[in-house]
Amino acid sequence: MSPPATGRTGTNRALVLNATFEPLGIVSSRRALLLVLATRAELLHAAEGVFRAEKVAFPEPSVVRLSRYVRVPHNRTVAVNRRTVFARDGHRCQYCDGAAESIDHVVPRSRGGLHAWDNVVAACRRCNTRKEDRLPHEVGLVLRSAPVAPRQRVWLLAMSGGARDDWVPYLEEKSLIA
Ligand SMILES: [Zn+2]
């Protein structure tokens, strides 16, 4: 079946769950609708919009669940960048809890620190400037918690782009951080 023509929406995203209800990924709502129409997934929650094709209209999917279980490798990694680090750290500076404005390498790159999940935190401009190329304890800064790699790739994707309300119950099922 060819994709139905888009109505007034179609740029939104949908959460895809495994048959076990485990979050798998985020796709366009148009792609999610195609899964439903192909009976490869069932519609659990619809968004506000509709897709129109000729004389029929389909609700725009927000959450779909695959009909058959898909095995997922557990070692998928998440890119370390401003967007994903801010998402992991709740957009708060990990030194003072102020609004995050930049990312900080705990062990500065100039001193051999890696651009890796366990060495990068969200920081406000003030703390970042104060720290420069020194270690936190050298300038009296204390990390609120040790940075770790996030385990839930989907959670991170969702949070970095803003999760819809009807996704939250599914995303909360698992612990967020490894
Ligand atoms: Zn700060």
Side-chain angles (χ1 to χ4, degrees):
M1 179 170 187
S2 61
T6 304
R8 61 187 168 85
T9 56
T11 56
N12 290 331
R13 300 166 305 145
L15 176 67
V16 178
L17 305 177
N18 213 335
T20 54
F21 289 91
E22 179 192 359
L24 272 185
I26 295 156
V27 299
S28 69
S29 52
R30 180 186 179 88
R31 168 87 184 129
L33 176 59
L34 291 176
L35 289 172
V36 172
L37 294 177
T39 68
R40 290 178 56 203
E42 65 167 326
L43 179 67
L44 294 185
H45 298 278
E48 302 74 26
V50 289
F51 285 97
R52 297 188 188 286
E54 303 275 312
K55 290 172 183 155
V56 283
F58 303 97
E60 178 184 18
S62 177
V63 183
V64 300
R65 175 187 169 217
L66 294 183
S67 315
R68 301 183 70 163
Y69 178 73
V70 172
R71 190 171 293 278
V72 186
H74 280 284
N75 56 356
R76 292 190 297 186
T77 55
V78 183
V80 179
N81 57 43
R82 178 187 167 101
R83 181 175 154 109
T84 55
V85 170
F86 275 26
R88 182 198 62 184
D89 293 344
H91 296 260
R92 308 308 301 179
C93 173
Q94 295 304 290
Y95 297 109
C96 76
D97 202 33
E101 294 166 291
S102 59
I103 60 175
D104 173 62
H105 293 90
V106 179
V107 177
R109 304 210 72 177
S110 62
R111 291 166 72 162
L114 297 177
H115 187 67
W117 278 111
D118 59 2
N119 192 48
V120 175
V121 293
C124 71
R125 192 164 296 130
R126 192 159 152 264
C127 289
N128 212 339
T129 303
R130 178 173 160 193
K131 187 165 166 296
E132 289 188 309
D133 58 353
R134 288 171 286 189
L135 296 171
H137 71 85
E138 293 174 346
V139 288
L141 289 173
V142 178
L143 277 173
R144 295 156 54 78
S145 60
V148 292
R151 188 164 57 195
Q152 270 262 40
R153 182 170 181 268
V154 167
W155 170 86
L156 200 61
L157 288 172
M159 292 305 157
S160 59
R164 289 176 49 88
D165 288 347
D166 52 10
W167 295 5
V168 174
Y170 302 101
L171 299 173
E172 280 177 345
E173 289 289 313
K174 309 278 175 143
S175 66
L176 303 182
I177 302 292

